[in-house]
Amino acid sequence: MDVRIIPSIKEAHTARGAVVVLDIFRASNTITALLMAGAERLFLLASLEEAFALREKNPDWLLFGERKGLMLPGMDGDNSPSKASGMDLRGRTAILTTSAGTQPLPFLREADGPVFYGCFPGAAALLSILRSLKPETVNLLPLGRETILPVVEDTAGAEYLYKSLRGEPVDFADLRAAMLASESADSLRKRGLHDDLEFCTSLDTCTLVPVVDLSGPYPEARAWDGKVR
């Protein structure tokens, strides 16, 4: 198995094989949490305008998201995994749009393998899936701040998966310490988002792994059930 780290979103269209999108603080975790909360359908949109337009056409759908880390007026919730995990979304349809996490999906429509979202809570489950699928290539896509600037937490996510898939030793405690000491972590603390920080830096606390169906008009996340669509 060849493991490749895609250096930027601009090169996402070159991905062949399985893809793992990494937005550790916080979209990868929010997507996981929304599905764990029972969302029946979850659409992931890059365009803010398109997200609002889709919700306007479907007023009973819930709209979650942020820009520059802040929830916008008219949204039903922000990009918070800890808040999402406490919701009951059974039977509900949700939309998520974020500054980084949902942005690469338009570039991944040519990917010929499954597109997963990776996070530390679901790391063991994701690794198990990838090992069982045995794709020729696994592409890791750490997004960074607004998909432009590299950040410690997304690099840590890529390093953890890269080394684990290659059978190399990796110390999560060291990675977690670096994440908690990062500028991104300080930003979450200043906004009082301690629960989100704890959620995002916890290892192997869930077994749900989000995969994205890119075949429809809107990218749709679902819990991996072993089937490539």
Side-chain angles (χ1 to χ4, degrees):
M1 182 190 300
D2 181 35
V3 186
R4 173 191 180 212
I5 297 178
I6 302 177
S8 77
I9 191 175
K10 294 179 180 179
E11 296 182 43
H13 70 282
T14 66
R16 296 295 180 269
V19 179
V20 181
V21 180
L22 296 160
D23 184 358
I24 302 300
F25 292 170
R26 298 170 283 167
S28 288
N29 289 277
T30 300
I31 293 165
T32 301
L34 289 169
L35 292 172
M36 288 176 61
E40 185 172 324
R41 303 190 75 180
L42 175 57
F43 295 104
L44 308 178
L45 297 187
S47 166
L48 186 63
E49 293 75 16
E50 193 172 30
F52 272 104
L54 185 58
R55 206 278 296 274
E56 187 174 354
K57 293 178 183 177
N58 303 274
D60 58 327
W61 292 6
L62 299 171
L63 176 59
F64 297 87
E66 52 75 31
R67 285 299 183 272
K68 297 188 182 299
L70 302 176
M71 184 176 79
L72 301 178
M75 288 184 168
D76 301 294
D78 60 3
N79 181 26
S80 170
S82 63
K83 291 177 184 176
S85 66
M87 296 178 177
D88 182 357
L89 299 179
R90 288 174 293 181
R92 302 299 301 271
T93 294
I95 304 163
L96 178 69
T97 180
T98 71
S99 300
T102 60
Q103 297 304 310
L105 297 177
F107 301 93
L108 292 170
R109 287 194 175 275
E110 300 302 317
D112 58 0
V115 176
F116 298 102
Y117 272 85
C119 62
F120 284 110
L126 174 59
L127 287 167
S128 177
I129 291 167
L130 293 171
R131 288 169 179 144
S132 66
L133 288 176
K134 298 178 182 177
E136 185 174 335
T137 304
V138 175
N139 301 271
L140 306 176
L141 179 56
L143 292 178
R145 185 172 296 113
E146 298 186 6
T147 74
I148 299 172
L149 299 174
V151 290
V152 170
E153 63 275 12
D154 295 349
T155 300
E159 179 181 345
Y160 187 86
L161 294 176
Y162 182 88
K163 289 185 175 180
S164 296
L165 287 170
R166 290 167 57 89
E168 300 175 11
V170 54
D171 190 333
F172 175 70
D174 285 349
L175 293 178
R176 186 173 191 269
M179 289 190 288
L180 292 175
S182 69
E183 180 181 343
S184 301
D186 286 343
S187 177
L188 292 178
R189 291 189 192 94
K190 288 176 182 177
R191 287 182 278 151
L193 300 174
H194 303 282
D195 290 343
D196 280 353
L197 191 57
E198 179 63 27
F199 191 108
C200 295
T201 58
S202 298
L203 184 65
D204 299 337
T205 55
C206 75
T207 58
L208 186 149
V209 176
V211 64
V212 185
D213 183 351
L214 293 166
S215 64
Y218 307 107
E220 183 175 352
R222 59 178 175 83
W224 172 254
D225 58 5
K227 299 176 183 177
V228 179
R229 290 174 172 81

